[in-house]
Amino acid sequence: AQTVTQSQPEMSVQEAETVTLSCTYDTSENNYYLFWYKQPPSRQMILVIRQEAYKQQNATENRFSVNFQKAAKSFSLKISDSQLGDTAMYFCAFMKHVGVMAYGGAQKLVFGQGTRLTINP
Amino acid sequence: DAGVIQSPRHEVTEMGQEVTLRCKPISGHDYLFWYRQTMMRGLELLIYFNNNVPIDDSGMPEDRFSAKMPNASFSTLKIQPSEPRDSAVYFCASSLLGRGNEKLFFGSGTQLSVL
C-alpha cells in the first residue's frame, strides 16, 4: 500500500520569504502522479501543482515549484515570495497511474497528514 | 462550470438520526469520490464510482454508511443511524481519470456534527 508522509505539522514564515514543505512517499509503482493541494480556512481543497512520475522536469506553477526526487521518493513544494493568502493547510498526495482503457483498479488519491503553513505580515 | 457542488454545507443532527449528504459532480466527469476528513485520521477515501458504478468501497467504515450514484450527475452518502464519531467534514470529488487529466476537483465539503 502506498503511504505519504509529511514530517512538518506546522511552519511559519514572514511574507515575501521562500518556504519549502517536505513530503516523502512509499510505493513499489513506477508510474504515478503526485500532487500538492491547499486547504485554506474556507475548507475548499485547491489543487496547487501536479507532477507525473515519468517526467524528469520538475513542475512549476507561478510561485509554486516542486523538487521531485524519484529515487529518494521525495516531493517537496517550494513557495517563493510567499503571500498572506498562502496561509493554509497543505496536503501532499499520491495517485497510481492508470491506462487510458483502464476500468476500476486503484486510482485512489492517498493524502499525507498535512502541513499547516502560516504566512506572517 | 460551477464545479463540484455539495449540500448541505453544514449539518447538525442528533445521534441515531439518518443523515444524507449530496453531491453533484462536474458535468462530463466519470469518476466520483467520497472522502472524510477528521483531525485524527486526516483525509480518508470512503468510496469511489466510475460511470455510476461503485468500484471500491473498502474505506466505508461500517454498514451504517451507504453511497449511491443513480445517475452521472448525482450521488448521495447516507449514514443511518448516525453516531457522534461520524462528526467530520465529508468531501465529494470528481475527475476524468485515465485520460491524461489525473486530478481531482473537490467540492466545498459538508461539515457534519452528530450530537
Side-chain angles (χ1 to χ4, degrees):
Chain A
Q2 291 82 16
T3 59
V4 179
T5 302
Q6 293 179 249
S7 59
Q8 305 151 311
E10 295 189 23
M11 295 188 72
S12 179
V13 298
Q14 296 299 118
E15 190 176 9
E17 289 183 348
T18 294
V19 60
T20 299
L21 309 183
S22 300
C23 173
T24 58
Y25 57 94
D26 184 27
T27 183
S28 59
E29 301 291 331
N30 191 48
N31 293 323
Y32 48 88
Y33 298 87
L34 295 163
F35 304 83
W36 280 96
Y37 277 86
K38 167 186 175 180
Q39 188 178 37
S42 67
R43 200 172 72 202
Q44 182 73 43
M45 291 290 287
I46 302 165
L47 179 63
V48 175
I49 202 164
R50 168 179 172 269
Q51 175 78 43
E52 298 162 6
Y54 62 87
K55 288 188 175 179
Q56 299 276 6
Q57 188 174 5
N58 289 325
T60 62
E61 289 286 342
N62 301 313
R63 297 183 295 107
F64 299 87
S65 62
V66 298
N67 183 5
F68 174 47
Q69 301 290 327
K70 191 172 184 179
K73 296 180 182 176
S74 170
F75 184 61
S76 61
L77 174 70
K78 185 173 80 171
I79 306 174
S80 303
D81 185 26
S82 58
Q83 301 174 0
L84 297 179
D86 295 333
T87 293
M89 281 289 288
Y90 285 81
F91 293 95
C92 179
F94 171 101
M95 180 191 290
K96 178 183 173 181
H97 173 77
V98 294
V100 173
M101 299 303 294
Y103 182 87
Q107 297 95 338
K108 300 176 184 180
L109 192 62
V110 177
F111 286 90
Q113 287 297 100
T115 296
R116 184 176 300 280
L117 175 64
T118 301
I119 309 299
N120 299 308
Chain B
D1 199 313
V4 177
I5 300 173
Q6 290 187 247
S7 64
R9 184 160 174 81
H10 302 277
E11 176 79 34
V12 180
T13 190
E14 293 186 348
M15 182 173 62
Q17 296 298 306
E18 177 179 296
V19 175
T20 299
L21 311 181
R22 297 172 174 81
C23 176
K24 176 179 169 56
I26 292 173
S27 177
H29 282 189
D30 53 0
Y31 281 85
L32 184 139
F33 302 79
W34 282 100
Y35 279 86
R36 178 171 68 176
Q37 184 179 30
T38 61
M39 287 294 292
M40 291 299 295
R41 300 175 68 90
L43 281 151
E44 304 173 279
L45 177 65
L46 300 177
I47 185 171
Y48 75 92
F49 297 82
N50 175 229
N51 292 323
N52 313 336
V53 176
I55 301 300
D56 185 350
D57 65 355
S58 59
M60 296 285 262
E62 47 197 277
D63 292 346
R64 298 184 297 106
F65 286 70
S66 62
K68 294 182 179 180
M69 193 165 186
N71 57 62
S73 59
F74 184 66
S75 177
T76 59
L77 178 68
K78 185 177 293 186
I79 308 172
Q80 166 63 21
S82 58
E83 297 182 2
R85 59 192 169 120
D86 301 331
S87 297
V89 179
Y90 290 81
F91 286 100
C92 175
S94 71
S95 186
L96 277 172
L97 292 180
R99 295 168 177 78
N101 293 311
E102 281 75 4
K103 62 181 77 171
L104 268 63
F105 295 86
F106 284 80
S108 297
T110 295
Q111 173 79 59
L112 174 64
S113 298
V114 183
L115 307 177

